[in-house]
Amino acid sequence: MSVTHRLAAPTPGWTATTDVVVVGSGVAGLTVALNVRKAGLRAMVVTKAMLDEGSTRWAQGGVAAALGEGDTPEQHLDDTLVAGAGVCDEEAVRTLVTEGPGAVRRLIATGALFDRGEDGEILLTREGGHHRDRIVHAGGDATGAEISRALVAAVRTDPEIELIEHALVLDLLTDAEGHAAGLTLHVMGEGQRDGVGAVRARAVVLATGGMGQVFSATTNPAVSTGDGVALALRAGAAVTDLEFVQFHPTVLWLGPEAEGQQPLVSEAVRGEGAHLVDADGVRFMVGQHELAELAPRDIVAKAITRRMQEQGAEHMFLDGRHFGAEMWEHRFPTILASCRAHGIDPVTAPIPVAPAAHYASGGVRTDRRGRTSVPGLYACGEVACTGVHGANRLASNSLLEGLVFAERIAADLAGLHAAGELPERTVDVAAARAARPVPLPPSEARAEIQRLMSRGTGVLRSAASMAGTAAGLALIAEQAHSHVAEEKPADPRVETWEAANLLLVATALVAAAAQREETRGCHWREDFPERDDAHWRRHLITTLAASGDPVSTPEEQ
Ligand SMILES: Cc1cc2nc3c(=O)[nH]c(=O)nc-3n(C[C@H](O)[C@H](O)[C@H](O)COP(=O)(O)OP(=O)(O)OC[C@H]3O[C@@H](n4cnc5c(N)ncnc54)[C@H](O)[C@@H]3O)c2cc1C
């Protein structure tokens, strides 16, 4: 297998070498880097913006792990499988929940400070879909910021971890056997490492996070443009479950025209007893699910959307007035501040909320060692699909997945290294040149892609709505091709590379979502409202055809 397509970009003008190159500096990437160092391998972390600019820093609620009295990995497994709606890979979930508590303890040993009670014990809370208090949190609702702080501090103290910020990774490089041998990237730097270059490595780890920016309204930061999934597709890797995008039910509603990253109102607010109400003050989740407001996210997001449609409303409300000022200030300082910054005081008024794109349950297909279908290419964190989330991620399982599977990748690489099976690789330059350059859309295409996706392939989808999205995306691709034919291609730069990645990921997502003719987990088809286990209790595997178009094939049952 070799890289069949690549982003149009200048020829690399410089080369650097390391043992393991990690793309991304969230919880997953930094955990890989710290752990491969323990095996005596050199690590290089390349990241698109500053080290802490991924989703990790924004995580509020916490990390799920069976640490509490009476709780067990088996119970955590049960809750995860229920949320996943029949398409979790049970062995992957078992790995997650059994190795999770140890991974959290190792994160604490690395320096992360979680909230503790007066007795010194770690405080545990509950979130949607969990039947136990098992969410560890930090700074009240600033868990991700604390994890990011601790991991960034740890990598900065190791001189053998090279950190390259403002470096956008473009494509994979392989050797003559099709084994990952490095990558191309664009560094917004100075001196020798400026512009497009290449990094040679024995193995490549993708930890590029999510793809929320493919939609107009999302909780994800600007860097979450699905680059890792797009790179993997161009490299010939299999991706899966792209249609399962989790829409967070309670995102602060900032008006009908709001676009880009929107403030999240964590599930933990409902966990502590806030109620979802409509404009008449009716608690519409009661009677819909045994857990009411704490039902799994897809159920709450669907119920909110349905109520909005019934009432012609643009949002619902989350009412936590009964918490009182002191609890808001201590337990949810970040959310309180962000609501107040937008003119809403949750102490005295209900918070307007609506669903927004939040988490990609699908991604680059990996096994339980983090290996993708391309030898030497690994993936972990939100970019990966290990199979633990199935059709719907259980709250607070993603930071945990990032930790557990990052450790497993490092362990796999350490094992290969110890066995002498992780040699240096020679990049097959001819193969890299032979890959077909993908025409770049103009940077303005980003907003159009987002609008098309939110309009036709959002919380609620149908064949007709998705056909509209697909046609719009195809037009953007055609225009990019015509501009190349007319010798007026878009400039290769960060904005156009990101637009090309968004376009590819969006096209693949719509193709998969259109093919899955059922409603399951967070994939809600208006025209196929029932779950159809006979046909669809399986994954859809997406790869890139020779034409450059994504093709989805149902996995054998
Ligand atoms: C608002 C919010 C709240 C959340 N709350 C929780 C929670 O309470 N509990 C929980 O478990 N999960 C939560 N999540 C989800 C969780 O935060 C993410 O799934 C997780 O942090 C992803 O970690 P990651 O390391 O995979 O990616 P990220 O932290 O997103 O990091 C990705 C990295 O890759 C870099 N990158 C991307 N593309 C490129 C490229 N082309 N070249 C170079 N670098 C690149 C980015 O710059 C970034 O450094 C939340 C997410 C959001 C947005």
Side-chain angles (χ1 to χ4, degrees):
M1 178 72 67
S2 62
V3 179
T4 56
H5 293 77
R6 64 176 172 83
L7 289 172
T11 308
W14 53 271
T15 304
T17 305
T18 188
D19 291 332
V20 178
V21 61
V22 180
V23 191
S25 53
V27 62
L30 297 185
T31 304
V32 173
L34 288 168
N35 283 283
V36 296
R37 284 290 304 124
K38 291 179 191 156
L41 289 158
R42 287 173 302 160
M44 181 189 284
V45 177
V46 289
T47 191
K48 196 148 81 162
M50 306 285 280
L51 280 181
D52 68 351
E53 273 183 64
S55 287
T56 298
R57 137 158 101 94
W58 295 95
Q60 296 178 345
V63 189
L67 291 161
E69 214 179 301
D71 196 6
T72 60
E74 205 59 29
Q75 294 175 57
H76 189 182
L77 177 122
D78 289 344
D79 288 343
T80 304
L81 294 180
V82 169
V87 286
C88 292
D89 292 346
E90 191 165 333
E91 278 317 300
V93 181
R94 199 171 293 285
T95 300
L96 178 82
V97 297
T98 50
E99 296 182 14
V104 171
R105 288 192 195 98
R106 288 186 284 280
L107 180 62
I108 293 169
T110 305
L113 301 169
F114 290 108
D115 295 337
R116 293 176 185 267
E118 282 170 7
D119 56 1
E121 290 297 314
I122 288 192
L123 292 173
L124 297 169
T125 188
R126 194 176 294 211
E127 290 187 329
H130 291 272
H131 284 83
R132 287 270 179 186
D133 290 352
R134 63 165 75 97
I135 316 295
V136 299
H137 47 87
D141 58 1
T143 310
E146 172 55 16
I147 292 175
S148 183
R149 181 206 62 75
L151 292 173
V152 168
V155 292
R156 284 202 194 280
T157 58
D158 187 337
E160 292 297 320
I161 300 179
E162 193 176 349
L163 305 168
I164 309 188
E165 291 175 310
H166 303 292
L168 180 103
V169 169
L170 300 167
D171 278 300
L172 187 72
L173 293 168
T174 53
D175 68 7
E177 278 85 51
H179 189 286
L183 41 78
T184 53
L185 71 174
H186 178 265
V187 179
M188 291 147 273
E190 292 173 345
Q192 290 187 334
R193 293 211 186 138
D194 188 17
V196 174
V199 173
R200 288 177 47 221
R202 300 162 192 245
V204 176
V205 182
L206 295 178
T208 50
M211 53 174 80
Q213 288 288 330
V214 89
F215 294 95
S216 295
T218 176
T219 59
N220 291 191
V223 293
S224 304
T225 48
D227 297 3
V229 168
L231 175 153
L233 281 169
R234 290 191 297 269
V239 308
T240 189
D241 293 358
L242 289 184
E243 65 276 29
F244 296 125
V245 177
Q246 184 172 81
F247 289 80
H248 197 290
T250 54
V251 175
L252 184 58
W253 186 79
L254 297 178
E257 303 302 326
E259 285 190 350
Q261 188 180 16
Q262 318 282 313
L264 176 71
V265 184
S266 165
E267 197 128 354
V269 176
R270 278 172 283 139
E272 297 287 357
H275 299 147
L276 270 170
V277 294
D278 63 17
D280 304 322
V282 175
R283 273 185 73 191
F284 56 91
M285 284 308 300
V286 176
Q288 296 218 20
H289 190 276
E290 46 149 350
L291 294 170
E293 279 91 351
L294 285 176
R297 280 187 187 167
D298 60 307
I299 298 190
V300 183
K302 284 173 193 171
I304 292 178
T305 308
R306 199 176 287 124
R307 197 68 159 195
M308 280 162 49
Q309 286 179 338
E310 283 165 8
Q311 301 196 327
E314 289 175 309
H315 59 80
M316 291 285 115
F317 291 97
L318 187 62
D319 194 349
R321 286 176 292 181
H322 52 286
F323 290 175
E326 200 180 311
M327 174 153 165
W328 271 108
E329 276 154 22
H330 288 102
R331 183 67 183 88
F332 301 115
T334 314
I335 298 168
L336 181 67
S338 95
C339 287
R340 283 181 172 164
H342 290 97
I344 298 139
D345 188 348
V347 178
T348 56
I351 308 167
V353 290
H358 184 55
Y359 184 80
S361 294
V364 186
R365 185 80 169 137
T366 71
D367 65 12
R368 285 186 295 127
R369 293 171 295 187
R371 295 182 180 190
T372 71
S373 57
V374 172
L377 178 66
Y378 291 77
C380 60
E382 193 167 337
V383 68
C385 183
T386 59
V388 301
H389 305 302
N392 190 30
R393 173 190 68 130
L394 184 65
S396 286
N397 266 356
S398 44
L399 291 168
L400 188 72
E401 186 197 27
L403 287 170
V404 166
F405 288 90
E407 288 187 347
R408 291 178 75 82
I409 288 175
D412 192 52
L413 289 167
L416 291 172
H417 185 50
E421 292 170 13
L422 196 65
E424 286 184 8
R425 302 275 163 184
T426 306
V427 172
D428 185 346
V429 178
R433 287 202 186 120
R436 284 172 53 192
V438 176
L440 305 177
S443 52
E444 308 82 70
R446 180 178 183 133
E448 181 58 13
I449 294 166
Q450 292 171 333
R451 273 193 290 275
L452 287 163
M453 290 297 288
S454 286
R455 207 177 299 145
T457 313
V459 183
L460 189 54
R461 306 148 176 196
S462 68
S465 74
M466 288 187 283
T469 309
L473 296 175
L475 189 63
I476 296 172
E478 269 166 44
Q479 285 168 346
H481 276 280
S482 331
H483 288 145
V484 172
E486 294 158 12
E487 298 188 357
K488 290 186 293 193
D491 282 347
R493 57 192 164 89
V494 170
E495 293 78 10
T496 53
W497 285 318
E498 284 188 342
N501 286 333
L502 285 168
L503 182 60
L504 175 54
V505 169
T507 307
L509 195 162
V510 178
Q515 203 167 336
R516 184 175 285 280
E517 294 185 330
E518 64 158 354
T519 289
R520 181 186 296 274
C522 52
H523 174 65
W524 187 16
R525 290 280 303 248
E526 210 171 6
D527 45 352
F528 294 95
E530 302 302 325
R531 176 165 147 176
D532 177 1
D533 278 352
H535 297 99
W536 287 111
R537 193 168 181 172
R538 51 183 165 168
H539 300 286
L540 269 173
I541 310 290
T542 303
T543 50
L544 216 56
S547 60
D549 295 322
V551 181
S552 299
T553 318
E555 197 173 51
E556 293 289 311
Q557 267 178 321

